[in-house]
Amino acid sequence: MKEIDNRLVLTVPSERQLNYQELEFYSFVHFTVNTFTDKEWGDGTENPAIFNPEKLDAKQWVDSIKAAGMKGLILTCKHHDGFCLWPSKYTEHTVAASPYKDGRGDIVKEVSQACQDTGIAFGVYLSPWDRNNKTYGQGKEYDDFFVHQLEELLTNYGEVFTVWFDGACGEGPNGKKQIYNWDRYYEVIRSLQPGACISVCGPDVRWCGNEAGDTRTSEWSVVPKRARDTEKIAENSQQKDDDFFRQRKISAHDSDLGSRSILEQEKDLIWYPAEVNTSIRPGWFYHENEDDKVKPLSKLIHIYNNSVGGNATFLLNIPPTKDGLFYENDVKRLYEIGSYLKKAYGKNLMDKAELKADSDMSGFEIEHVRADQYDTYFRTKDGETNCTIQLKWGEKVLVNHIVLKENIRLSQRIEKFMVQALIDGNLKTIYEGTIVGHKKIIPIDNISTSEIIIYILDARVAPTLSFLGVY
Ligand code: FUL
């Protein structure tokens, strides 16, 4: 039996992280005064009088994201400019000072309500960096203000699935320096919304490190504890308003965060799954001159396959217009994503497949991979870190996607695998991979086959599979 550092496989997700990973695909909605000034970052001096999304229809947002197959929505309740989309009692810089609904509007209420009515999880983005509030940079005074805002958002709007803390701060060398009391914020969130994850500058969900939709070939959920260092996350985050940053990719020195050789040198490990965030357009906020720059379907599906299908989640931003509606080109794309996904995963060919594995343990037989659930799963015998799984059909089937899922309740174990298919009488290698994790999607180009063999070549300890799908 191979020596393995037990910590690698004893590090597992919390219930809230597990629920979060199961959402897989959800939306960001960036909306504030910037929508009206045509900017990406506001400086906090904007007059609330400019904010009047007269046709705002949260149901249109939620219906479109649901049609795309998304399961959640995170709203920028307050971006860096400090303007609040809800009538906060702790500042005047809010929707209550705007002409929207004569100052009686509450966009957080409208959106959270529409989410609840439609079965979409609701999440809160609250920018720690606040360019409007006078107390920003004054330590505890700002923390008190920030905590009050958190309390409002986490008590008045139903269940929240995440609080998304942005690491961005563009204060220059002479700017204000606020030392955030993160632990105090986290405590408030845990006590008011125990089911909510705290993302990016927080302990539960890791920012993937770029805004362009770039992904790692091997995305590990068990990583060194220091990956959670908020100072480092902020350093890597956006520090000035520029397009270059939005297009920057993951750098080579950041490409391996959790292979065995990296982790073995680390003292403390954590379960910290990655989230890939990008916008459907070049900017996070709506700009009319980007109406014809909505990302093509092929690009979005590519990101989907590599994020949702690469052991990460996919947070896709759709920015509403000044009217308060998603623009027609964006809506069209969302519906296209939905139809693509329905068509791609509509029919699981496993229904008719014969299944065999060369190593399974009693109670954990290969037949368990037919049901997509963690309670029943396949695993090899103790000490066996490789296995062969054979799928056979009585006739040829056309295959475009293979989906593998590990039982991540038992951590991420698989490190190397290969897939072969019988094509024109010969077994051909159609994919060689590394990680599986929550979900691995293998897109293949329409092959016609009657036999597929999956070889799990290496794993940290006995590999598990909770689901196997062939489409
Ligand atoms: C960045 C921010 O500066 C952008 O405006 C946007 O909110 C993005 C999601 O995070 O750090």
Side-chain angles (χ1 to χ4, degrees):
M1 201 193 294
K2 177 171 52 180
E3 278 295 309
I4 177 88
D5 181 346
N6 277 332
R7 299 171 313 148
L8 269 56
V9 286
L10 291 176
T11 308
V12 295
S14 64
E15 211 51 35
R16 62 170 83 85
Q17 287 174 314
L18 208 56
N19 293 337
Y20 196 96
Q21 279 182 270
E22 284 186 357
L23 286 180
E24 295 190 346
F25 183 32
Y26 41 94
S27 84
F28 232 164
V29 176
H30 273 67
F31 193 46
T32 180
V33 287
N34 298 346
T35 312
F36 296 81
T37 55
D38 206 18
K39 290 198 173 135
E40 277 291 305
W41 276 8
D43 64 10
T45 62
E46 295 79 11
N47 186 338
I50 61 173
F51 186 87
N52 195 12
E54 275 176 310
K55 297 187 188 147
L56 191 140
D57 180 4
K59 191 164 167 354
Q60 185 237 15
W61 306 1
V62 172
D63 286 348
S64 325
I65 65 148
K66 188 163 187 171
M70 296 179 174
K71 297 188 197 137
L73 183 157
I74 304 176
L75 176 67
T76 56
C77 300
K78 177 184 87 165
H79 202 250
H80 312 326
D81 51 74
F83 180 76
C84 302
L85 295 183
W86 81 102
S88 172
K89 281 195 290 196
Y90 301 94
T91 169
E92 279 166 12
H93 201 54
T94 80
V95 68
S98 81
Y100 180 61
K101 296 199 167 164
D102 295 323
R104 284 189 291 276
D106 182 344
I107 294 172
V108 178
K109 176 124 273 155
E110 289 186 57
V111 178
S112 57
Q113 192 61 54
C115 285
Q116 273 160 32
D117 295 345
T118 322
I120 292 288
F122 177 68
V124 160
Y125 167 110
L126 186 69
S127 172
W129 184 35
D130 185 323
R131 305 180 86 178
N132 173 268
N133 199 269
K134 298 275 174 298
T135 64
Y136 186 85
Q138 293 174 24
K140 183 170 177 305
E141 242 183 299
Y142 180 74
D143 286 333
D144 289 344
F145 164 74
F146 193 74
V147 160
H148 282 313
Q149 294 207 313
L150 271 176
E151 285 165 349
E152 289 183 320
L153 290 170
L154 302 183
T155 27
N156 300 332
Y157 301 98
E159 199 180 325
V160 160
F161 81 95
T162 185
V163 179
W164 210 95
F165 284 149
D166 199 325
C169 178
E171 297 285 338
N174 301 321
K176 299 176 185 169
K177 176 93 180 137
Q178 171 71 27
I179 313 281
Y180 305 111
N181 190 344
W182 294 112
D183 288 340
R184 183 172 165 207
Y185 308 165
Y186 300 163
E187 251 173 56
V188 171
I189 298 167
R190 291 292 194 239
S191 86
L192 296 175
Q193 295 274 350
C197 277
I198 311 172
S199 305
V200 186
C201 283
D204 303 315
V205 178
R206 168 168 57 87
W207 180 46
C208 67
N210 79 107
E211 298 185 346
D214 193 25
T215 48
R216 294 181 179 82
T217 316
S218 307
E219 191 63 87
W220 297 99
S221 294
V222 178
V223 294
K225 188 174 177 197
R226 59 191 170 79
R228 188 156 86 181
D229 178 345
T230 48
E231 286 283 317
K232 277 272 164 337
I233 298 167
E235 246 171 55
N236 262 326
S237 300
Q238 200 167 352
Q239 319 216 340
K240 62 178 193 238
D241 174 12
D242 66 2
D243 283 340
F244 175 75
F245 183 86
R246 286 186 279 279
Q247 302 318 321
R248 191 190 79 180
K249 300 206 164 163
I250 292 170
S251 65
H253 79 268
D254 243 7
S255 63
D256 178 5
L257 301 184
S259 69
R260 219 188 281 192
S261 56
I262 295 269
L263 297 189
E264 279 168 356
Q265 304 159 27
E266 294 289 329
K267 200 165 140 278
D268 297 309
L269 306 180
I270 50 169
W271 185 269
Y272 201 24
E275 175 184 79
V276 175
N277 65 325
T278 194
S279 184
I280 199 163
R281 292 158 168 253
W284 291 103
F285 289 92
Y286 176 82
H287 309 289
E288 199 180 334
N289 66 4
E290 292 181 351
D291 280 349
D292 59 355
K293 296 201 176 103
V294 173
K295 288 190 171 82
L297 179 66
S298 55
K299 168 91 183 157
L300 293 167
I301 295 302
H302 178 81
I303 302 173
Y304 179 94
N305 284 341
N306 290 337
S307 53
V308 175
N311 191 38
T313 53
F314 183 13
L315 171 57
L316 176 65
N317 178 64
I318 303 103
T321 64
K322 286 183 196 180
D323 282 340
L325 293 169
F326 285 172
Y327 188 72
E328 58 187 46
N329 295 1
D330 308 50
V331 172
K332 183 168 163 267
R333 193 66 84 242
L334 292 173
Y335 279 82
E336 284 170 4
I337 299 175
S339 343
Y340 172 90
L341 294 176
K342 268 207 193 105
K343 192 157 165 255
Y345 299 103
K347 190 170 161 358
N348 188 352
L349 299 166
M350 288 289 288
D351 292 352
K352 293 211 175 95
E354 228 180 80
L355 255 178
K356 255 203 288 189
D358 67 350
S359 161
D360 57 16
M361 229 169 94
S362 155
F364 303 92
E365 292 81 6
I366 192 65
E367 284 297 320
H368 289 305
V369 301
R370 293 184 190 272
D372 189 358
Q373 59 191 33
Y374 290 128
D375 294 343
T376 54
Y377 60 95
F378 160 79
R379 61 159 286 185
T380 61
K381 297 190 185 77
D382 283 335
E384 288 181 9
T385 50
N386 54 51
C387 67
T388 304
I389 300 163
Q390 190 188 38
L391 289 76
K392 267 192 175 174
W393 289 268
E395 55 189 355
K396 281 196 178 161
V397 288
L398 266 188
V399 179
N400 281 290
H401 295 94
I402 299 176
V403 173
L404 304 172
K405 291 176 82 171
E406 277 181 82
N407 183 355
I408 55 169
R409 281 185 192 279
L410 300 172
S411 194
Q412 198 179 343
R413 299 178 170 198
I414 298 173
E415 294 181 324
K416 195 173 175 200
F417 69 96
M418 178 175 86
V419 184
Q420 291 189 327
L422 191 65
I423 301 171
D424 300 330
N426 297 313
L427 269 183
K428 289 200 180 129
T429 299
I430 54 170
Y431 193 81
E432 286 177 281
T434 54
I435 59 109
V436 173
H438 168 69
K439 187 182 262 189
K440 175 74 197 174
I441 296 177
I442 306 166
I444 17 187
D445 205 9
N446 218 16
I447 58 160
S448 168
T449 186
S450 58
E451 183 174 345
I452 290 180
I453 306 181
I454 298 166
Y455 303 87
I456 302 205
L457 300 170
D458 208 0
R460 291 178 173 176
V461 291
T464 73
L465 279 184
S466 71
F467 179 69
L468 179 55
V470 179
Y471 304 89

